[in-house]
Amino acid sequence: MSGPPAAVNKEIKQPIHPSMLPLLDPQYVAFHNKHLAHLTPPHTIPWDAKKIREGPAVPGGSVPLEVGVVKDFEIPESKGSPKLKVRTYTPKGEPPEGGWDVFVFFHGGGWTLGDIGSEAAFCTNMCVRANCVVVSVDYRLGPEDPYPAAVEDAVDALQWLYHHGEEALNINKERIIVGGSSSGGNLAAILAVKSKSLSPTPIPINFQLLVVPVTDNTASVSTRSGWAKNQHTPWLSPARMEWFKSKYLPNEEDWTKWDASPFFATKELLQPGTQSGKNKPGAWIGVCELDILSEEGVEFGEKLRDAGWEVEVEVYKGAPHPIMAMDGVLDIGKKLVSDAAAALKKAFESL
């Protein structure tokens, strides 16, 4: 488990609102009060990239599992970063006939925080439990590189994997699943749409695994009941989410673009692309009951279902936004990770 930062100043800076106390998971409340309440929320201090990005984005993660090989690759410049990096996790043992299944993963952090190793525990859990290669993408972050930089990097990483992954990693390029957490879930959902029209070759994506995804960047307390109902939730408050958005999407005219907010993609755009599997393309969406993003996650699932995807939505009762990354200390976080791994394994079996 990654240890929480030491609280030098005992002033409570992130108290749990009284209205949320009876609703929250008791384990979360205990950990928050002991280890999180005294931390300074990043959106309340002047921007300092080095200072704000040091340490884990969310304390309380589990220890990464042992895998066969961990290796980094640099992807040559395309439209994206000149030195886009991916970190790959390969299972122990021999690959199946035809090559490894592969899961392309995008970390969370509001397109502003996090890095290639910040969600290593989740990546290794998916690698071991679903017996697949996991490719974690080190996409560019705002405010240095705002929208659409992260989207461009997502596309570049997928195209590199499809055209070079067989040689580099012994993967089966017809068995690719995309996924991510929070802002990473946003990128994965967008990539599932973009993959259908990539040149020179569309890439079949028949499953997407989205954990607490951001799908609607127009959302606010005044426009969404989910935000209003959970406006006093701990950790991902409306103010913190607005801060993230200001770093990645500083121009309001971009908020409704579907490759910033996949919620606004048309039914035609959301329809699955060329099908490579024997079953209907699918999605697994995990949302937290006490998260401002829960409503838009559930509704995005409904849009995918209406567009032709087989969708399973799991709601984690009593949970605020960051529990996936707190699986070292919260039973509900462990359950989310286990559920995601089971969904991923099942999805590969159906391809």
Side-chain angles (χ1 to χ4, degrees), residues 38-121:
H38 306 95
L39 301 181
T40 302
H43 65 281
T44 64
I45 59 177
W47 175 253
D48 181 330
K50 186 176 185 301
K51 182 178 180 181
I52 289 176
R53 288 178 179 150
E54 66 183 4
V58 180
S62 64
V63 175
L65 302 181
E66 185 177 348
V67 301
V69 178
V70 180
K71 187 174 182 180
D72 291 355
F73 293 88
E74 280 191 356
I75 296 174
E77 180 176 12
S78 180
K79 284 199 310 182
S81 168
K83 287 189 177 181
L84 173 62
K85 185 185 292 185
V86 297
R87 177 163 295 167
T88 63
Y89 302 85
T90 301
K92 296 178 181 179
E94 295 299 316
E97 185 178 352
W100 293 107
D101 294 335
V102 58
F103 176 51
V104 183
F105 177 74
F106 300 92
H107 67 80
W111 312 277
T112 303
L113 309 178
D115 57 34
I116 198 171
S118 60
E119 292 177 359

Side-chain angles (χ1 to χ4, degrees), residues 178-194:
V178 297
S181 66
S182 195
S183 56
N186 168 274
L187 296 174
I190 292 163
L191 188 58
V193 175
K194 283 187 169 285

